[in-house]
Amino acid sequence: MRIRWPRRVFAQVLLVQLLITTGVTVLAAGLFLAPLSDQLDTQAARRALAIAQTTAARPGIAHALLTTRPSVDGPAQDAAERVRLATGASYVVIVDAHGIRYSHTTPAEIGRRVSTDPGEALAGHEWTGIDRGTLGRSARGKVPLRDSAGAVVGAVSVGIAYDSVRALLLHAVPGILEYAGAALGVGALAALVASRRLRRRTHGIELSEISALLDEREAMLHGIREGVVALDRRGLVRLVNDEAQRLLGLSPDARVTGRPLDEVLPPGRTTDVLAGRVAGTDLLTVCGGRVLVANRMDTADGGTVATLRDRTELEQLGRELDGTRGLTEALRAQDHEHANRLHTIVGLLELGLHEEAAEFVAEVACAHRATAEQVTERVREPLVSALLVGKSAIAAERGAALRISPATDLPDRVVDPRDLVTVLGNLVDNALDAAGARVRREAGDAPFVEVELRAEGATLWLRVSDNGPGVPAAARDLVFTDGWSTKEPPPHRRRGLGLALVRRLAERYGGTAEVTCREGGGAVFTVELPEALRVLEGVNR
């Protein structure tokens, strides 16, 4: 009949533990019983030797051996029998130098030569061992018998019946088996408890299912386009999938698992969110120029699992939507303005004031052309100049002026114009919000924003200033913190990401972003972008 191996994990573990426990118990019992017989033999032989030594040391035994003949009523037989009865030995035999018995348990053996060789004892040496004689197998001890001068005149041989030694061994076996059975029972109970706990932890699934689940887990974690970071109860990184490595900017070869999260990631909001120091759901954070959405969930073993989603494109679309809305509002306002101008021109023509109408048209066209030409003359990067022209229209709609600093000179050799558009767009938007928040009606103090773009070799300097309320000295480092803002967030996204993106992009280029106070009131944001410009041959750095 074929024995079927159980398929459930807990059943396999239980069976293996029972087999191991049984095997160890049997082995331990065997290892204990195997030397026990030898130990009992050795103890019996030593006991026989001790009795023989005590008998040989009794006074008068050697003198009786030298002065009397072997007889049943002799002093040697009488002394030997008293020792045998007192110690419980099987026999006590006294022999002379020729091996003739002077005492024996069987009186008929007195006067006869011993059946075993007494040579060792007669030579002056003590001897112990298991041997067979006329009384059967016994544990024996033999010592020399000396006279008062120390000369060997005979020997004393004491034997302990081997049946008594075997009885001791058999008597010890039940106790050993009881202890072995108790140990086996405790081991079986422990194995049962462990298997039940394992059953609860594995939900009774099979070993093959565990392997399949592990393969599916690995495929899912490394195949999904969502970052997963798992931490244990001590805050050590337990798992980082491929997408999380990409989003967090971790090298695939870096040793991440087993290390604290604060050692793996730099200090900042991203680390605080993943570590649970910032509570909430769908938390936005910026990491390496990427806008991430993070969520955390606790696990049963005290650890946590955090998920990361890339929302960079959505945030960019949201900002583009804000810009489009602003531009739409500006175009709507310009539409009303153009309608008013057309009505003015029509009125002038109907009144026959043709020269005044021509002058009015030239003045309006010249003003728009001057604004565009001023931008394109100093900013030769098409994307950046288009951004500034669009922001000028938005600023005009808000009642503010967007100025281009006379020191502005941006050549057409920007490495990545999109990064520059992101930095400049965020700074101009914040400056327009700040300038619009300042209500001052004094002459010559209308809201304005001034932009300066300056190239120094491969380094690009951006400076955006406004005459708004400014940034308090205590908050000049906080304004670049991810999530920090003093304005109410719009419905479709949150505030506090723009300046954080500016600083992250600046740091990506190896530069800096800082804010200072403008003379006369307002704020000045300065950004340094090293290596943001291509250096042409013949152009010194």
Side-chain angles (χ1 to χ4, degrees), residues 123-417:
H125 305 294
E126 296 180 346
W127 178 87
T128 59
I130 306 298
D131 204 351
R132 182 177 295 275
T134 56
L135 297 178
R137 189 174 177 82
S138 60
R140 303 185 178 192
K142 298 179 181 181
V143 297
L145 181 62
R146 302 176 184 273
D147 59 9
S148 58
V152 177
V153 297
V156 178
S157 176
V158 177
I160 297 177
Y162 198 76
D163 291 339
S164 62
V165 178
R166 183 180 300 172
L168 291 175
L169 178 62
L170 295 177
H171 179 73
V173 169
I176 296 175
L177 293 180
E178 288 179 2
Y179 283 112
L184 181 60
V186 172
L189 181 61
L192 181 61
V193 172
S195 65
R196 286 183 176 273
R197 183 178 181 184
L198 182 62
R199 181 180 182 180
R200 290 193 301 267
R201 298 296 297 271
T202 59
H203 304 285
I205 61 178
E206 299 179 7
L207 189 61
S208 59
E209 293 175 348
I210 293 180
S211 178
L213 288 175
L214 181 60
D215 294 338
E216 292 173 0
R217 169 183 173 273
E218 291 297 316
M220 178 185 65
L221 288 176
H222 297 287
I224 60 175
R225 303 303 296 172
E226 186 169 340
V228 178
V229 179
L231 306 176
D232 62 13
R233 67 177 63 189
R234 297 175 298 172
L236 303 180
V237 178
R238 187 158 51 187
L239 171 71
V240 177
N241 71 342
D242 298 342
E243 183 66 7
Q245 289 181 344
R246 185 183 71 85
L247 296 178
L248 298 175
L250 301 176
S251 173
D253 300 330
R255 189 181 68 84
V256 176
T257 56
R259 297 174 57 191
L261 186 64
D262 293 330
E263 293 183 4
V264 176
L265 297 177
R269 177 178 171 83
T270 302
T271 305
D272 293 338
V273 168
L274 295 179
R277 292 189 283 267
V278 179
T281 58
D282 290 336
L283 298 172
L284 289 180
T285 180
V286 178
C287 182
R290 298 182 182 275
V291 180
L292 307 177
V293 180
N295 284 283
R296 296 177 73 256
M297 179 177 292
D298 296 333
T299 57
D301 60 352
T304 57
V305 175
T307 59
L308 298 170
R309 287 174 291 160
D310 192 354
R311 279 195 55 179
T312 306
E313 295 181 358
L314 292 177
E315 286 295 322
Q316 291 177 350
L317 289 176
R319 293 184 179 278
E320 291 178 5
L321 178 60
D322 288 344
T324 303
R325 286 179 175 175
L327 185 59
T328 302
E329 294 175 358
L331 292 175
R332 185 181 299 111
Q334 289 183 1
D335 179 58
H336 289 288
E337 185 179 357
H338 286 311
N340 293 331
R341 290 171 180 173
L342 286 176
H343 293 160
T344 303
I345 295 172
V346 171
L348 290 173
L349 292 177
E350 289 181 353
L351 294 174
L353 303 176
H354 300 90
E355 292 182 3
E356 288 79 357
E359 291 178 0
F360 183 75
V361 171
E363 181 182 351
V364 172
C366 182
H368 285 282
R369 190 182 306 111
T371 302
E373 288 179 355
Q374 182 186 13
V375 173
T376 56
E377 180 182 354
R378 297 182 180 276
V379 181
R380 291 181 290 279
E381 174 58 48
L383 288 180
V384 180
S385 60
L387 173 70
L388 292 176
V389 170
K391 296 297 182 182
S392 298
I394 296 175
E397 169 62 18
R398 296 184 181 182
L402 179 61
R403 304 174 183 174
I404 304 299
S405 171
T408 295
D409 184 13
L410 179 63
D412 184 14
R413 47 189 177 90
V414 179
V415 175
D416 193 343

Side-chain angles (χ1 to χ4, degrees), residues 516-536:
T516 57
C517 181
R518 175 183 170 274
E519 185 178 355
V524 179
F525 285 85
T526 304
V527 178
E528 177 191 8
L529 298 177
E531 307 298 332
L533 299 175
R534 291 187 295 271
V535 179
L536 303 178

Side-chain angles (χ1 to χ4, degrees), residues 493-504:
R493 62 184 178 87
R494 63 186 281 268
R495 293 281 188 182
L497 291 176
L499 292 179
L501 279 173
V502 169
R503 171 164 281 184
R504 294 296 172 86

